[in-house]
Amino acid sequence: MNEAEFDVVVVGAGHAGTEAAVAAARTGASVAIVTSSLETVGQMSCNPAIGGIAKGCVVREVDALGGIMARATDRAMIQFRMLNRSKGPAVWAPRAQCDRGLYRRAVRSLLEEQPRLASIQATVSALVFDRTGRRVVGVATVEGRTFGAKTVVITTGTFLRGTIFIGTTTSVSGGRAGEKATTHLARQLEDVGLTVERFKTGTPPRIDGRSVKLDELEPQLSEAEEFGYSWSQFADAHPSVVRPRQLPCWITFLEAEGKKIISDNVALSAMYGGVVSAKGPRYCPSVEDKVVRFPLAERHQIFLEPEGHDTHEMYVNGMSTSLPAHLQLEVLRTIRGLEEVRMTRAGYAIEYDYYPPTQLDATLQVRFIGGLYLAGQINGTTGYEEAAGQGVVAGINAALSAQGREPVILGRETSYLGVLIDDLVTKGVDEPYRLFTSRSEFRLTVRQDNALMRLAPLAKSLGMYSAEEEAIVNRRSRDEKEAFRLAHETSIAPSLAAKLLDAVGSAPLAHSVKISDVARRQNVSLEDCFTAVDVGGELAREAVLTTDLELKYAGYFEKERVQAQRMKKMGGFALDAELPYESMKSLSIEARQKLAARKPANLAQAARLSGVSPSDLQNLVIEVERRKALGGRGSVAPGTRAPFDEEHGEDY
């Protein structure tokens, strides 16, 4: 007998698990989140920061879908930076430093605000399958408890057979420092047929801030007075939650003396001494990697980031390492400001199981096991934000499946979440995956400032907003429409425009013109134009910013939207999972092999497979249409047109 029955059971309560659980509950499903320790729900295992280039946009997209990462960040934020401000608002990226303890408690509180979500402390040891062995129906725990579920989401991060390494002689089983690894579940997943591989990651040492000579270092101050993260709590200029006191970060550098210690002892590093052989994240390298790969670099930047208000501990960002502990301390004491530093925790490397994500479909469900979804680092990604994004997608789809509703598949043209999921399930990973703006073909139109308006219609259709939240969204939409109307209907006189145009070195007006024309000029903001003529003061600042960008880059945005429509059309050309690609002689041998191995769901996915050429795509459409005409299994959704038809003549 099961102790309880749920629509969705989420295994793990890190960034993927908590978002999956909340997303599922918001759709109306009954949800249980099962974790070995309720005290570590929402734990920031590595850097206590949320956001960054592309990552900050993902956080805002998760937030738009009712997620909790941005909300917890606003409650725990001790420093905020809007990155890329020198490059213009179209590529701005929010990043916040958090109080580690406040963040964890905020996540726990936000979980418990969900009425359909139960939190359970237990260690899942096995999935329970139906009689066919191909569909999950629940989970069992090492404590002897069982819970029934229509769907299960596994979000175990680095805990599956995780091993921690410090130097070449010290290793211990663990998912992160001080917490046990999971082995029973890992063995079962391999036994049921999932391909398993290993990745590695690492973390830097922590230090006692009282032993740092801060007066010798460059401070980096917060910009939190200008920005917030979540639309739900910072819809106006006045936040509805109390923001913690802001703290600076500090900048210093690893220089020649420290580099020499690392270079001389690199063979003692777990990652260079042959102890750890798995691949690590390319874009978050260890300090050993930096020294070996960039020997001519004079120095490497280090950020000292406070862990919170209730501790003097600091995170040494930029010095991830698996050197022996005594060498870590020796290197730290060569850094300016750290000559007498005390190390509170040594850095370490961790190696863990992951499951190549090409085994999943675009809903993040395992292709050959019904009701089983995977999200987070278990899919070969790195970063809190990528984990949270997968958690939302998996949680929504697990809930919809349990309720007998149609799945949600986000296209690349809709969001960074769509890019993330499509990259994982279509291309797979050969190193820990990190999201960048360059991975998106639509980075001008899928920006952090318009995330809410892009994804709110989907969230509304799924019933994921409360009445109060929906009112905030509707107000934001009205503000954008009003800002657009004011810009196009309000004129500005030369005398009123003179001061702001002179300030940016722009030519004065010869006569009155519409505000929209002035705002299109370089370095002239729509907000300043509104202020000059005393209109729009009641509008939300982000609504005005979005309107400003739409005016300035209208031509570029239109090109991307045309491309997005083409991609959407290709996405509508479905490909049956049982298509006999091997027999399609008009395709190249490589294309046949790649298509047969990956079984793309639609033509858009097929187009992104390496080795599948444009001519292969043309021939694939012809092959599919021929099969359809001959009575084979159909592949085109009812009412859709093949994307290479003569009427449109579009060659993708």
Side-chain angles (χ1 to χ4, degrees), residues 34 38 47 115 198 202 317 352 400 404 454 539 602 617 635 650:
V34 185
L38 289 174
N47 189 357
R198 301 278 279 177
N317 192 348
Y352 57 93
L400 296 178
R454 281 188 282 113
L539 303 178
N602 53 59
L617 295 176
S635 64
E650 292 161 331

Side-chain angles (χ1 to χ4, degrees), residues 110-157:
L110 289 164
L111 281 180
E112 294 184 355
E113 288 177 10
Q114 301 299 321
R116 289 180 289 273
L117 199 165
S119 299
I120 298 170
Q121 181 164 302
T123 301
V124 171
S125 58
L127 300 171
V128 179
F129 290 87
D130 66 5
R131 292 181 179 179
T132 69
R134 288 302 175 191
R135 182 165 194 90
V136 294
V137 293
V139 299
T141 76
V142 296
E143 297 85 1
R145 306 169 75 182
T146 60
F147 302 95
K150 295 176 181 176
T151 57
V152 174
V153 185
I154 300 181
T155 66
T156 45

Side-chain angles (χ1 to χ4, degrees), residues 210-221:
R210 294 170 296 183
S211 63
V212 179
K213 299 173 184 177
L214 296 177
D215 57 343
E216 297 183 8
L217 305 181
E218 177 188 346
Q220 188 180 58
L221 303 179

Side-chain angles (χ1 to χ4, degrees), residues 66-313:
I68 60 175
M69 178 169 273
R71 302 177 192 219
T73 299
D74 278 334
R75 298 184 186 190
M77 182 191 301
I78 56 177
Q79 187 184 97
F80 187 95
R81 304 283 296 180
M82 185 64 80
L83 308 181
N84 276 348
R85 292 188 75 181
S86 64
K87 298 180 181 179
V91 291
W92 285 3
R95 182 184 187 273
Q97 194 75 19
C98 294
D99 181 306
R100 196 184 292 273
L102 285 179
Y103 185 88
R104 187 177 63 247
R105 291 191 288 275
V107 170
R108 178 83 181 270
S109 175
L110 289 164
L111 281 180
E112 294 184 355
E113 288 177 10
Q114 301 299 321
R116 289 180 289 273
L117 199 165
S119 299
I120 298 170
Q121 181 164 302
T123 301
V124 171
S125 58
L127 300 171
V128 179
F129 290 87
D130 66 5
R131 292 181 179 179
T132 69
R134 288 302 175 191
R135 182 165 194 90
V136 294
V137 293
V139 299
T141 76
V142 296
E143 297 85 1
R145 306 169 75 182
T146 60
F147 302 95
K150 295 176 181 176
T151 57
V152 174
V153 185
I154 300 181
T155 66
T156 45
T158 60
F159 278 74
L160 293 182
R161 290 191 282 217
T163 305
I164 292 170
F165 299 89
I166 302 176
T168 56
T169 60
T170 302
S171 66
V172 62
S173 174
R176 59 179 167 235
E179 297 183 54
K180 294 180 179 179
T182 300
T183 56
H184 298 82
L185 183 58
R187 284 196 296 267
Q188 186 194 29
L189 290 173
E190 190 170 11
D191 289 343
V192 299
L194 276 167
T195 300
V196 59
E197 295 182 12
R198 301 278 279 177
F199 272 159
K200 70 180 178 186
T201 188
T203 191
R206 271 68 154 183
I207 59 176
D208 187 336
R210 294 170 296 183
S211 63
V212 179
K213 299 173 184 177
L214 296 177
D215 57 343
E216 297 183 8
L217 305 181
E218 177 188 346
Q220 188 180 58
L221 303 179
S222 176
E223 300 172 336
E225 70 281 356
E226 297 183 59
F227 302 100
Y229 231 131
S230 175
W231 59 272
S232 63
Q233 296 171 150
F234 289 83
D236 320 290
H238 305 290
S240 59
V241 298
V242 178
R243 177 179 281 141
R245 176 171 55 89
Q246 299 298 285
L247 297 174
C249 294
W250 304 87
I251 299 174
T252 186
F253 296 90
L254 172 70
E255 301 188 73
E257 185 181 356
K259 289 182 62 179
K260 186 175 188 308
I261 294 171
I262 294 169
S263 180
D264 289 346
N265 295 279
V266 73
L268 299 178
S269 163
M271 288 185 272
Y272 274 88
V275 176
V276 179
S277 58
K279 282 191 176 181
R282 177 192 302 263
Y283 301 103
C284 188
S286 68
V287 72
E288 295 96 300
D289 277 329
K290 294 177 183 177
V291 169
V292 171
R293 290 164 54 190
F294 307 105
L296 300 181
E298 291 185 7
R299 60 184 189 173
H300 299 285
Q301 193 169 56
I302 301 289
F303 290 91
L304 304 183
E305 300 173 338
E307 295 269 343
H309 286 294
D310 60 353
T311 178
H312 292 286
E313 199 167 40

